Amino acid sequence: MDTMAAIKQTFFQECEEQLAELEQGLMTIEREEGDVETINAVFRAVHSIKGGAGAFGLDDLVRFAHTFETTLDGMRSGKLDATPQIVRLMLRSADILADLVRISRDGGEPDQARVAQMSDELSRAGGAHAAPVPEAMPQPLIGDGFEADEFGFAPTPVAFDFGADADSEPADTGVDEFGFAPVAISFDTLVGDVEEAGQTYDIVFKPAPGLYAKANDALRLLRELGRLGDMTVTCETDTVPLLSELDPEGAYLTWKIELKTDAAETAVREIFEFVEFDCELSIARRLNLDGTADVVAQPMEDLVPADEPVEVLAPIAPVTVAEIAPPAERTSPAAASQPVQAATAQQPTIRVDLDRVDRLIDLVGELVINQSMLAQRVTEAGIARLSDVAVGLDDLENLTREIQDSVMAIRAQPVRPIFQRMSRVVREVADMTGKSVRLVTEGENCEVDKTVIERLADPLTHMIRNAIDHGLESPEKRVAAGKPEQGVVRMIAAHRSGRVVIEVSDDGAGINRAKVREIAIGKGLIEENLQLTDSEIDDLIFAPGFSTASTISDVSGRGVGMDVVRRSIQALGGRITITSRPGKGTTFTLSLPLTLAVLDGMVVTVAGQTLVVPLSAIVETLQPKASEVHSLGESARVIAIRGSFIPLIDVGSVLGYRSDEAQPTHSVAVLVETENQSQCALMVDGIIGQQQVVIKSLEANYGHVFGVAAATILGDGRVAVILDVDAIVAGSRSEAARADAIRKRNAA
Amino acid sequence: MSLLAQLRILVVDDTTTSRLLLRDALETLGFRNIQVAPDGEQAMKMMMTTPSHLIISDMNMPKMNGLQLLHAIRTYKPTSRTPFMILTGSPDRAVLDEGRKLGLNNYLTKPFNPDQLRRALEAIVGKLH
């Protein structure tokens, strides 16, 4: 039953689309921006899921979809008002429907109690309109996926009694119920004149020079045409000039093609879709062997009885269709000349196993490494920059980068689905906490690597929960503070300088800094008399073991804190920062790489080790002069750059490569800016150069090391670590702060 | 030549799943000449260029439902007598009454199996074999 399995897969894919449409539609209705078509679309989504589920005998799904559909039908027919409560109920039902779809796909047991409760609520909401849902639907007969519906009858497709052929059917059949008897058509009428299956098209195809100039290939078009059926091609070469007069970029050939095919004319035309302005083309359908038809297809006269005059018609005016349904939106004047156009011209797509794409990405990674090794070897061999070999290598480098970008683009996907998933989280948490919340999303079309998207779900879920549970105040408190009762959680995605930035913010009370400080001292995270800036206090909530939940609520807490969120974001090569304003709310900002595979880095040496500093963090590099370096206290040193003092960090001692201190005047200072805009200067021994490196995860192959984001393989084949600039800066700051505090205490 | 080999059928449905299921069922019955359209407009266009001998259409579709398509088919002279069958997931008396007025030949409820489809078709065109 291979076909069925394949169709089932398609069904589940389509379900996901319909579920998304359902949720979007309901949210539109919730915002009171919906119209009749929105309600229809919502109804249709549930109806289609039910229809497909019936075909595969997914009873739980069919039953729930049926109840849901019945209530939606009440809304559609105007018998049920779309009050906020009703729409919320529908949204929760949509969540249950989504669960049932996924359980049908992946296995598992549905939470029957919850499903039953929701069904009850739906039926009650449907009220008088809803037909009572039978306690239990009868099991479909074997191989006969029929279920009794609310009319209490098992429909039969035909009124004719085929005697022994008939299934055992209840007495009241569909025919009795609806009084519908099939309308038969005489067999002879149909067969009398039915033309043979398939048709013959006569196609004349004369490319213009532009067709070849745009890199189209006449041969390829003919090959595609041949796939539609049997084809006879003749090529007219009379117009080809003598070789001396031949323009190599000219077009001299005309093909005449006789194509026997079952395909519709649209399919034949589609092949020439991209070249129609660069060729002369005529496609005519042959009616029979003794004449050729016009391009206008001959209407179907076989079914018109002979005593009626046969009209030969021009193509139908769109009016007929328009009387019944409004024509599709015309977006371009070009479309207007073709009255009946496909409503949506979809980009052709192809499904590829992810494994294949990943294999390709791995190979491209190796290619990048290989190319940089080769470039290095050539440089070492002392080959002149302008020699053919070096120039060829430059071309190879450009090509490699282009291949890399293209391959990365294959994996890029919009963040939309994950944003949509969050609206469900918001609903659930709002229900649990008794708060009223609205989710606002922006930038859903931002594209990020598929893996990044997949691994964002958990951290985002946790952040949204936090925002509602800890960020937003209770409705009473909000009203008392002069805020609208409904809290707002915002998710915004945007591309910024080669990274994607996602902000999750709430308009709640902001971070209670006094309390955070108190908790941190209580848990021994900071010294009691340590002076901290506001942003340092805010950062404490990322500290391992910190949790603000005084009572462990059902929602957040339970030991998963923001430290886990921060770690999972860092594992993606991302950073997370927080800003908060008392009474106004809190914003978490995630900054993520667009892809996990490569990064532009500056290769530096420290104490004989080769390290890579991510280029995205570097502001500039400079050679410190003795006059610019100042000591603060015993361990802290700063460098004066354009009138401001920037802390100097000795990378070698922070990472434990050496115990003695580096001399700033013998070092190179790499000025970096961290995610929260604080600047620091990293002291390194020397700079080797800039290079694109392929990221190899350290966590996947070894484990987490402080100050190290990942590793890479350099052009000469050596392994180098990639610095985690933020961690090093943060580490040395707290180090300096601690040292300072200890010094002060000893002095006191 | 049997009717099966000659009859060209147009399947109209907005969901890929249903189109595939119906196509699969028709192929199981032995039909080899099946065209598909995702919506009523496309269906009309196909009936004008490569007319089919029989139409099986879903009821619930965006922009143009099964009855509206039936109306369009019946008001276009060359297809005014083309046999038309509606597939529906929720049979409804009002819809079928309306269908009868417009000249609906038969209907079939979802879900269906190939045998039921065969009988529904035979009720319109007679024995297929």
Side-chain angles (χ1 to χ4, degrees), chain A residues 14 47 143-146 151 157-158 177 179 182-183 185 187 199 297 299-300 316 324 342, chain B residues 16-17 42 48-50 52 60 63 68 78 90-91 93 100 105 108 111 113 116 123-125:
Chain A
E14 216 165 18
H47 185 78
D144 186 353
F146 268 51
F151 301 102
V158 212
E177 177 69 26
V183 180
I185 286 236
F187 187 94
Q199 15 239 322
M300 199 170 141
I316 184 180
I324 300 158
Chain B
T16 316
T17 309
Q42 288 271 357
M48 288 177 228
T49 52
T50 330
S52 287
N60 211 314
K63 291 207 284 273
Q68 289 166 325
S90 22
R93 175 184 282 278
R100 198 185 4 241
N105 298 76
L108 177 62
N113 61 30
Q116 289 152 339
I124 303 177
V125 299

mmCIF file of all heavy atoms in Angstrom, chain A residues 14 47 143-146 151 157-158 177 179 182-183 185 187 199 297 299-300 316 324 342, chain B residues 16-17 42 48-50 52 60 63 68 78 90-91 93 100 105 108 111 113 116 123-125:
data_model
loop_
_atom_site.group_PDB
_atom_site.id
_atom_site.type_symbol
_atom_site.label_atom_id
_atom_site.label_comp_id
_atom_site.label_asym_id
_atom_site.label_seq_id
_atom_site.Cartn_x
_atom_site.Cartn_y
_atom_site.Cartn_z
ATOM 1 N N GLU A 14 -0.140 18.529 4.762
ATOM 2 C CA GLU A 14 -1.220 19.469 4.472
ATOM 3 C C GLU A 14 -1.931 19.877 5.757
ATOM 4 O O GLU A 14 -2.369 21.008 5.899
ATOM 5 C CB GLU A 14 -2.191 18.840 3.473
ATOM 6 C CG GLU A 14 -2.731 19.846 2.521
ATOM 7 C CD GLU A 14 -3.404 19.238 1.309
ATOM 8 O OE1 GLU A 14 -3.773 18.044 1.333
ATOM 9 O OE2 GLU A 14 -3.591 19.967 0.354
ATOM 10 N N HIS A 47 -12.591 21.237 8.181
ATOM 11 C CA HIS A 47 -13.331 20.317 7.326
ATOM 12 C C HIS A 47 -12.374 19.445 6.508
ATOM 13 O O HIS A 47 -12.584 18.232 6.382
ATOM 14 C CB HIS A 47 -14.239 21.125 6.403
ATOM 15 C CG HIS A 47 -15.137 20.284 5.553
ATOM 16 N ND1 HIS A 47 -16.285 19.708 6.049
ATOM 17 C CD2 HIS A 47 -15.057 19.914 4.254
ATOM 18 C CE1 HIS A 47 -16.871 19.019 5.071
ATOM 19 N NE2 HIS A 47 -16.140 19.138 3.979
ATOM 20 N N GLY A 143 -12.976 -1.867 5.595
ATOM 21 C CA GLY A 143 -12.728 -1.435 4.222
ATOM 22 C C GLY A 143 -13.779 -0.493 3.694
ATOM 23 O O GLY A 143 -13.950 -0.333 2.516
ATOM 24 N N ASP A 144 -14.520 0.103 4.594
ATOM 25 C CA ASP A 144 -15.656 0.883 4.146
ATOM 26 C C ASP A 144 -15.777 2.039 5.117
ATOM 27 O O ASP A 144 -16.693 2.117 5.895
ATOM 28 C CB ASP A 144 -16.889 -0.034 4.203
ATOM 29 C CG ASP A 144 -18.117 0.633 3.619
ATOM 30 O OD1 ASP A 144 -18.034 1.842 3.308
ATOM 31 O OD2 ASP A 144 -19.126 -0.036 3.485
ATOM 32 N N GLY A 145 -14.788 2.922 5.067
ATOM 33 C CA GLY A 145 -14.638 3.936 6.127
ATOM 34 C C GLY A 145 -15.830 4.843 6.323
ATOM 35 O O GLY A 145 -15.686 6.065 6.310
ATOM 36 N N PHE A 146 -16.991 4.257 6.490
ATOM 37 C CA PHE A 146 -18.169 5.096 6.677
ATOM 38 C C PHE A 146 -18.510 5.223 8.133
ATOM 39 O O PHE A 146 -18.407 4.293 8.906
ATOM 40 C CB PHE A 146 -19.365 4.473 5.948
ATOM 41 C CG PHE A 146 -19.481 5.020 4.570
ATOM 42 C CD1 PHE A 146 -18.385 5.014 3.742
ATOM 43 C CD2 PHE A 146 -20.668 5.566 4.124
ATOM 44 C CE1 PHE A 146 -18.475 5.536 2.463
ATOM 45 C CE2 PHE A 146 -20.756 6.096 2.851
ATOM 46 C CZ PHE A 146 -19.654 6.069 2.025
ATOM 47 N N PHE A 151 -26.916 13.082 11.049
ATOM 48 C CA PHE A 151 -28.266 12.753 10.579
ATOM 49 C C PHE A 151 -28.660 11.352 11.010
ATOM 50 O O PHE A 151 -29.783 10.920 10.768
ATOM 51 C CB PHE A 151 -28.361 12.843 9.056
ATOM 52 C CG PHE A 151 -28.023 14.199 8.539
ATOM 53 C CD1 PHE A 151 -26.794 14.451 7.967
ATOM 54 C CD2 PHE A 151 -28.935 15.241 8.655
ATOM 55 C CE1 PHE A 151 -26.472 15.705 7.501
ATOM 56 C CE2 PHE A 151 -28.608 16.498 8.182
ATOM 57 C CZ PHE A 151 -27.378 16.739 7.610
ATOM 58 N N PRO A 157 -23.588 5.706 -1.610
ATOM 59 C CA PRO A 157 -23.286 6.554 -2.755
ATOM 60 C C PRO A 157 -24.278 6.409 -3.901
ATOM 61 O O PRO A 157 -24.357 7.286 -4.736
ATOM 62 C CB PRO A 157 -21.902 6.068 -3.181
ATOM 63 C CG PRO A 157 -21.785 4.688 -2.625
ATOM 64 C CD PRO A 157 -22.648 4.627 -1.417
ATOM 65 N N VAL A 158 -25.006 5.318 -3.965
ATOM 66 C CA VAL A 158 -25.832 5.071 -5.145
ATOM 67 C C VAL A 158 -27.235 4.671 -4.744
ATOM 68 O O VAL A 158 -27.436 4.042 -3.709
ATOM 69 C CB VAL A 158 -25.263 3.910 -5.985
ATOM 70 C CG1 VAL A 158 -25.559 4.147 -7.440
ATOM 71 C CG2 VAL A 158 -23.814 3.740 -5.718
ATOM 72 N N GLU A 177 -33.161 9.851 2.698
ATOM 73 C CA GLU A 177 -32.907 10.995 3.573
ATOM 74 C C GLU A 177 -33.010 12.308 2.807
ATOM 75 O O GLU A 177 -33.660 13.243 3.204
ATOM 76 C CB GLU A 177 -31.509 10.841 4.197
ATOM 77 C CG GLU A 177 -31.084 11.989 5.077
ATOM 78 C CD GLU A 177 -31.882 12.056 6.359
ATOM 79 O OE1 GLU A 177 -32.388 10.989 6.797
ATOM 80 O OE2 GLU A 177 -31.994 13.160 6.911
ATOM 81 N N GLY A 179 -33.718 12.435 -0.563
ATOM 82 C CA GLY A 179 -34.543 12.339 -1.761
ATOM 83 C C GLY A 179 -33.749 12.582 -3.027
ATOM 84 O O GLY A 179 -34.254 13.094 -4.010
ATOM 85 N N PRO A 182 -29.655 9.464 -8.259
ATOM 86 C CA PRO A 182 -28.645 9.782 -9.262
ATOM 87 C C PRO A 182 -29.283 10.009 -10.627
ATOM 88 O O PRO A 182 -30.281 9.380 -10.954
ATOM 89 C CB PRO A 182 -27.760 8.543 -9.303
ATOM 90 C CG PRO A 182 -28.087 7.753 -8.100
ATOM 91 C CD PRO A 182 -29.441 8.159 -7.642
ATOM 92 N N VAL A 183 -28.722 10.901 -11.373
ATOM 93 C CA VAL A 183 -29.225 11.167 -12.710
ATOM 94 C C VAL A 183 -28.327 10.438 -13.693
ATOM 95 O O VAL A 183 -27.155 10.763 -13.823
ATOM 96 C CB VAL A 183 -29.198 12.674 -13.012
ATOM 97 C CG1 VAL A 183 -29.719 12.942 -14.411
ATOM 98 C CG2 VAL A 183 -30.019 13.425 -11.970
ATOM 99 N N ILE A 185 -26.875 8.937 -17.254
ATOM 100 C CA ILE A 185 -26.684 9.422 -18.611
ATOM 101 C C ILE A 185 -26.533 8.182 -19.470
ATOM 102 O O ILE A 185 -25.892 7.214 -19.058
ATOM 103 C CB ILE A 185 -25.380 10.250 -18.670
ATOM 104 C CG1 ILE A 185 -25.608 11.595 -17.990
ATOM 105 C CG2 ILE A 185 -24.887 10.364 -20.082
ATOM 106 C CD1 ILE A 185 -25.297 12.778 -18.858
ATOM 107 N N PHE A 187 -25.280 5.484 -21.645
ATOM 108 C CA PHE A 187 -23.952 4.979 -21.944
ATOM 109 C C PHE A 187 -23.580 5.302 -23.397
ATOM 110 O O PHE A 187 -22.490 5.736 -23.704
ATOM 111 C CB PHE A 187 -23.989 3.458 -21.730
ATOM 112 C CG PHE A 187 -22.668 2.785 -21.827
ATOM 113 C CD1 PHE A 187 -21.911 2.559 -20.694
ATOM 114 C CD2 PHE A 187 -22.184 2.341 -23.045
ATOM 115 C CE1 PHE A 187 -20.685 1.921 -20.797
ATOM 116 C CE2 PHE A 187 -20.971 1.707 -23.146
ATOM 117 C CZ PHE A 187 -20.209 1.495 -22.013
ATOM 118 N N GLN A 199 -4.553 13.738 -27.310
ATOM 119 C CA GLN A 199 -4.725 14.585 -28.463
ATOM 120 C C GLN A 199 -3.398 14.777 -29.156
ATOM 121 O O GLN A 199 -2.359 14.422 -28.651
ATOM 122 C CB GLN A 199 -5.234 15.959 -28.095
ATOM 123 C CG GLN A 199 -5.126 16.288 -26.656
ATOM 124 C CD GLN A 199 -6.512 16.567 -26.236
ATOM 125 O OE1 GLN A 199 -7.242 17.154 -27.015
ATOM 126 N NE2 GLN A 199 -6.911 16.135 -25.089
ATOM 127 N N ALA A 297 -9.585 25.753 -28.253
ATOM 128 C CA ALA A 297 -9.986 24.360 -28.192
ATOM 129 C C ALA A 297 -11.421 24.199 -28.638
ATOM 130 O O ALA A 297 -12.254 25.053 -28.404
ATOM 131 C CB ALA A 297 -9.836 23.844 -26.778
ATOM 132 N N PRO A 299 -14.982 22.979 -28.282
ATOM 133 C CA PRO A 299 -15.797 22.572 -27.144
ATOM 134 C C PRO A 299 -16.265 21.130 -27.291
ATOM 135 O O PRO A 299 -16.191 20.538 -28.360
ATOM 136 C CB PRO A 299 -16.967 23.535 -27.170
ATOM 137 C CG PRO A 299 -16.972 24.132 -28.523
ATOM 138 C CD PRO A 299 -15.576 24.076 -29.036
ATOM 139 N N MET A 300 -16.779 20.645 -26.221
ATOM 140 C CA MET A 300 -17.127 19.245 -26.180
ATOM 141 C C MET A 300 -18.527 19.023 -26.745
ATOM 142 O O MET A 300 -19.517 19.197 -26.058
ATOM 143 C CB MET A 300 -17.117 18.839 -24.718
ATOM 144 C CG MET A 300 -17.021 17.402 -24.490
ATOM 145 S SD MET A 300 -16.723 17.239 -22.762
ATOM 146 C CE MET A 300 -17.711 15.863 -22.442
ATOM 147 N N ILE A 316 -15.075 31.287 -23.254
ATOM 148 C CA ILE A 316 -16.076 31.896 -22.401
ATOM 149 C C ILE A 316 -15.578 33.215 -21.844
ATOM 150 O O ILE A 316 -14.420 33.368 -21.494
ATOM 151 C CB ILE A 316 -16.390 30.933 -21.245
ATOM 152 C CG1 ILE A 316 -17.497 31.489 -20.383
ATOM 153 C CG2 ILE A 316 -15.160 30.697 -20.412
ATOM 154 C CD1 ILE A 316 -17.829 30.566 -19.258
ATOM 155 N N ILE A 324 -20.784 34.263 -10.452
ATOM 156 C CA ILE A 324 -20.881 33.318 -9.354
ATOM 157 C C ILE A 324 -19.878 33.609 -8.269
ATOM 158 O O ILE A 324 -20.170 33.572 -7.097
ATOM 159 C CB ILE A 324 -20.633 31.895 -9.886
ATOM 160 C CG1 ILE A 324 -21.701 31.600 -10.926
ATOM 161 C CG2 ILE A 324 -20.685 30.886 -8.774
ATOM 162 C CD1 ILE A 324 -21.295 30.548 -11.850
ATOM 163 N N ALA A 342 -4.411 31.184 -13.285
ATOM 164 C CA ALA A 342 -4.246 30.494 -12.009
ATOM 165 C C ALA A 342 -4.178 31.554 -10.928
ATOM 166 O O ALA A 342 -3.548 32.582 -11.091
ATOM 167 C CB ALA A 342 -2.956 29.690 -12.024
ATOM 168 N N THR B 16 -4.565 18.750 -1.691
ATOM 169 C CA THR B 16 -3.742 17.765 -2.399
ATOM 170 C C THR B 16 -4.106 16.355 -1.955
ATOM 171 O O THR B 16 -4.198 15.444 -2.771
ATOM 172 C CB THR B 16 -2.253 18.014 -2.088
ATOM 173 O OG1 THR B 16 -2.009 19.415 -2.179
ATOM 174 C CG2 THR B 16 -1.371 17.302 -3.079
ATOM 175 N N THR B 17 -4.322 16.207 -0.660
ATOM 176 C CA THR B 17 -4.649 14.874 -0.134
ATOM 177 C C THR B 17 -5.860 14.281 -0.843
ATOM 178 O O THR B 17 -5.825 13.148 -1.323
ATOM 179 C CB THR B 17 -4.942 14.958 1.373
ATOM 180 O OG1 THR B 17 -3.875 15.654 2.007
ATOM 181 C CG2 THR B 17 -5.083 13.586 1.990
ATOM 182 N N GLN B 42 -9.726 26.986 -12.378
ATOM 183 C CA GLN B 42 -8.867 26.128 -13.186
ATOM 184 C C GLN B 42 -9.700 25.061 -13.889
ATOM 185 O O GLN B 42 -9.453 24.717 -15.039
ATOM 186 C CB GLN B 42 -7.841 25.428 -12.283
ATOM 187 C CG GLN B 42 -6.771 26.335 -11.770
ATOM 188 C CD GLN B 42 -5.597 26.371 -12.735
ATOM 189 O OE1 GLN B 42 -5.591 25.676 -13.736
ATOM 190 N NE2 GLN B 42 -4.631 27.208 -12.443
ATOM 191 N N MET B 48 -12.572 24.162 -20.964
ATOM 192 C CA MET B 48 -12.606 24.907 -22.222
ATOM 193 C C MET B 48 -11.503 24.469 -23.170
ATOM 194 O O MET B 48 -11.623 24.616 -24.373
ATOM 195 C CB MET B 48 -12.450 26.398 -21.952
ATOM 196 C CG MET B 48 -13.668 27.017 -21.322
ATOM 197 S SD MET B 48 -13.287 28.719 -20.992
ATOM 198 C CE MET B 48 -13.824 28.834 -19.347
ATOM 199 N N THR B 49 -10.374 24.002 -22.612
ATOM 200 C CA THR B 49 -9.252 23.647 -23.483
ATOM 201 C C THR B 49 -9.174 22.144 -23.733
ATOM 202 O O THR B 49 -9.074 21.714 -24.871
ATOM 203 C CB THR B 49 -7.919 24.128 -22.875
ATOM 204 O OG1 THR B 49 -7.844 23.659 -21.535
ATOM 205 C CG2 THR B 49 -7.826 25.622 -22.880
ATOM 206 N N THR B 50 -9.216 21.362 -22.660
ATOM 207 C CA THR B 50 -9.157 19.907 -22.815
ATOM 208 C C THR B 50 -10.356 19.335 -22.094
ATOM 209 O O THR B 50 -10.253 18.915 -20.944
ATOM 210 C CB THR B 50 -7.890 19.341 -22.131
ATOM 211 O OG1 THR B 50 -6.873 20.325 -22.178
ATOM 212 C CG2 THR B 50 -7.436 18.080 -22.789
ATOM 213 N N SER B 52 -13.128 17.318 -20.291
ATOM 214 C CA SER B 52 -13.279 15.972 -19.755
ATOM 215 C C SER B 52 -14.712 15.521 -20.000
ATOM 216 O O SER B 52 -15.582 16.326 -20.284
ATOM 217 C CB SER B 52 -13.002 15.956 -18.262
ATOM 218 O OG SER B 52 -11.626 16.111 -18.027
ATOM 219 N N ASN B 60 -16.726 21.664 -0.705
ATOM 220 C CA ASN B 60 -16.265 22.802 0.076
ATOM 221 C C ASN B 60 -14.907 23.305 -0.404
ATOM 222 O O ASN B 60 -13.883 22.742 -0.057
ATOM 223 C CB ASN B 60 -16.175 22.349 1.541
ATOM 224 C CG ASN B 60 -16.462 23.502 2.461
ATOM 225 O OD1 ASN B 60 -15.932 24.595 2.269
ATOM 226 N ND2 ASN B 60 -17.310 23.265 3.453
ATOM 227 N N LYS B 63 -13.339 30.324 -2.718
ATOM 228 C CA LYS B 63 -13.734 31.136 -3.880
ATOM 229 C C LYS B 63 -14.958 30.612 -4.633
ATOM 230 O O LYS B 63 -15.858 31.352 -4.957
ATOM 231 C CB LYS B 63 -12.568 31.307 -4.864
ATOM 232 C CG LYS B 63 -11.458 32.180 -4.293
ATOM 233 C CD LYS B 63 -10.681 32.868 -5.383
ATOM 234 C CE LYS B 63 -9.729 31.913 -6.074
ATOM 235 N NZ LYS B 63 -8.428 31.809 -5.413
ATOM 236 N N GLN B 68 -21.304 26.106 -7.051
ATOM 237 C CA GLN B 68 -21.026 27.256 -7.915
ATOM 238 C C GLN B 68 -20.316 26.807 -9.185
ATOM 239 O O GLN B 68 -20.576 27.325 -10.276
ATOM 240 C CB GLN B 68 -20.188 28.299 -7.165
ATOM 241 C CG GLN B 68 -21.000 29.016 -6.088
ATOM 242 C CD GLN B 68 -20.109 29.788 -5.128
ATOM 243 O OE1 GLN B 68 -19.005 29.366 -4.813
ATOM 244 N NE2 GLN B 68 -20.598 30.919 -4.664
ATOM 245 N N PRO B 78 -21.073 24.343 -24.075
ATOM 246 C CA PRO B 78 -20.464 23.057 -24.436
ATOM 247 C C PRO B 78 -20.421 22.046 -23.296
ATOM 248 O O PRO B 78 -20.339 20.848 -23.540
ATOM 249 C CB PRO B 78 -19.036 23.441 -24.841
ATOM 250 C CG PRO B 78 -19.106 24.885 -25.168
ATOM 251 C CD PRO B 78 -20.164 25.469 -24.301
ATOM 252 N N SER B 90 -19.752 16.463 4.481
ATOM 253 C CA SER B 90 -20.950 16.569 5.326
ATOM 254 C C SER B 90 -22.174 16.745 4.434
ATOM 255 O O SER B 90 -22.457 17.839 3.982
ATOM 256 C CB SER B 90 -20.821 17.735 6.298
ATOM 257 O OG SER B 90 -19.894 18.672 5.834
ATOM 258 N N PRO B 91 -22.854 15.622 4.142
ATOM 259 C CA PRO B 91 -24.019 15.681 3.258
ATOM 260 C C PRO B 91 -25.111 16.547 3.888
ATOM 261 O O PRO B 91 -25.292 16.544 5.096
ATOM 262 C CB PRO B 91 -24.466 14.227 3.162
ATOM 263 C CG PRO B 91 -23.892 13.559 4.360
ATOM 264 C CD PRO B 91 -22.637 14.289 4.697
ATOM 265 N N ARG B 93 -29.048 18.283 3.134
ATOM 266 C CA ARG B 93 -30.238 18.251 2.279
ATOM 267 C C ARG B 93 -30.351 19.486 1.392
ATOM 268 O O ARG B 93 -30.582 19.387 0.189
ATOM 269 C CB ARG B 93 -31.494 18.113 3.128
ATOM 270 C CG ARG B 93 -32.769 18.196 2.282
ATOM 271 C CD ARG B 93 -33.998 18.154 3.162
ATOM 272 N NE ARG B 93 -34.314 16.806 3.613
ATOM 273 C CZ ARG B 93 -34.980 15.923 2.863
ATOM 274 N NH1 ARG B 93 -35.381 16.253 1.658
ATOM 275 N NH2 ARG B 93 -35.263 14.734 3.326
ATOM 276 N N ARG B 100 -29.771 19.351 -7.211
ATOM 277 C CA ARG B 100 -30.728 18.738 -8.133
ATOM 278 C C ARG B 100 -31.275 19.776 -9.112
ATOM 279 O O ARG B 100 -31.398 19.528 -10.298
ATOM 280 C CB ARG B 100 -31.867 18.097 -7.347
ATOM 281 C CG ARG B 100 -32.642 17.097 -8.191
ATOM 282 C CD ARG B 100 -33.856 16.538 -7.488
ATOM 283 N NE ARG B 100 -34.077 17.158 -6.186
ATOM 284 C CZ ARG B 100 -34.058 16.475 -5.043
ATOM 285 N NH1 ARG B 100 -33.824 15.196 -5.050
ATOM 286 N NH2 ARG B 100 -34.299 17.080 -3.907
ATOM 287 N N ASN B 105 -25.686 15.152 -11.098
ATOM 288 C CA ASN B 105 -25.986 13.770 -11.461
ATOM 289 C C ASN B 105 -25.918 12.802 -10.290
ATOM 290 O O ASN B 105 -26.670 11.842 -10.225
ATOM 291 C CB ASN B 105 -25.041 13.271 -12.552
ATOM 292 C CG ASN B 105 -25.198 14.079 -13.811
ATOM 293 O OD1 ASN B 105 -24.721 15.209 -13.870
ATOM 294 N ND2 ASN B 105 -25.889 13.540 -14.797
ATOM 295 N N LEU B 108 -21.394 11.733 -3.616
ATOM 296 C CA LEU B 108 -20.736 10.671 -2.869
ATOM 297 C C LEU B 108 -20.176 11.300 -1.600
ATOM 298 O O LEU B 108 -19.675 12.421 -1.641
ATOM 299 C CB LEU B 108 -19.598 10.078 -3.712
ATOM 300 C CG LEU B 108 -18.734 8.980 -3.087
ATOM 301 C CD1 LEU B 108 -19.559 7.756 -2.744
ATOM 302 C CD2 LEU B 108 -17.616 8.592 -4.054
ATOM 303 N N PRO B 111 -15.635 9.679 3.898
ATOM 304 C CA PRO B 111 -14.667 8.962 3.069
ATOM 305 C C PRO B 111 -15.347 7.882 2.233
ATOM 306 O O PRO B 111 -16.401 7.396 2.596
ATOM 307 C CB PRO B 111 -13.749 8.323 4.117
ATOM 308 C CG PRO B 111 -14.598 8.190 5.340
ATOM 309 C CD PRO B 111 -15.586 9.288 5.300
ATOM 310 N N ASN B 113 -14.619 4.347 -0.578
ATOM 311 C CA ASN B 113 -13.615 3.419 -1.099
ATOM 312 C C ASN B 113 -13.846 3.241 -2.595
ATOM 313 O O ASN B 113 -14.884 3.650 -3.114
ATOM 314 C CB ASN B 113 -13.653 2.089 -0.327
ATOM 315 C CG ASN B 113 -15.004 1.398 -0.473
ATOM 316 O OD1 ASN B 113 -15.686 1.544 -1.491
ATOM 317 N ND2 ASN B 113 -15.393 0.638 0.537
ATOM 318 N N GLN B 116 -17.257 1.954 -3.752
ATOM 319 C CA GLN B 116 -18.374 2.901 -3.653
ATOM 320 C C GLN B 116 -18.284 3.942 -4.771
ATOM 321 O O GLN B 116 -19.290 4.366 -5.339
ATOM 322 C CB GLN B 116 -18.355 3.593 -2.289
ATOM 323 C CG GLN B 116 -18.756 2.642 -1.177
ATOM 324 C CD GLN B 116 -18.124 3.032 0.136
ATOM 325 O OE1 GLN B 116 -17.128 3.740 0.189
ATOM 326 N NE2 GLN B 116 -18.722 2.558 1.205
ATOM 327 N N ALA B 123 -23.874 4.512 -11.446
ATOM 328 C CA ALA B 123 -25.238 5.031 -11.348
ATOM 329 C C ALA B 123 -25.457 6.138 -12.372
ATOM 330 O O ALA B 123 -26.584 6.436 -12.753
ATOM 331 C CB ALA B 123 -25.487 5.557 -9.936
ATOM 332 N N ILE B 124 -24.379 6.765 -12.808
ATOM 333 C CA ILE B 124 -24.508 7.831 -13.806
ATOM 334 C C ILE B 124 -24.341 7.291 -15.219
ATOM 335 O O ILE B 124 -25.132 7.566 -16.106
ATOM 336 C CB ILE B 124 -23.434 8.925 -13.577
ATOM 337 C CG1 ILE B 124 -23.536 9.497 -12.177
ATOM 338 C CG2 ILE B 124 -23.598 10.034 -14.617
ATOM 339 C CD1 ILE B 124 -22.463 10.515 -11.864
ATOM 340 N N VAL B 125 -23.284 6.479 -15.431
ATOM 341 C CA VAL B 125 -22.957 6.116 -16.809
ATOM 342 C C VAL B 125 -23.193 4.653 -17.135
ATOM 343 O O VAL B 125 -22.918 4.214 -18.247
ATOM 344 C CB VAL B 125 -21.483 6.463 -17.124
ATOM 345 C CG1 VAL B 125 -21.254 7.943 -16.980
ATOM 346 C CG2 VAL B 125 -20.544 5.675 -16.229
#
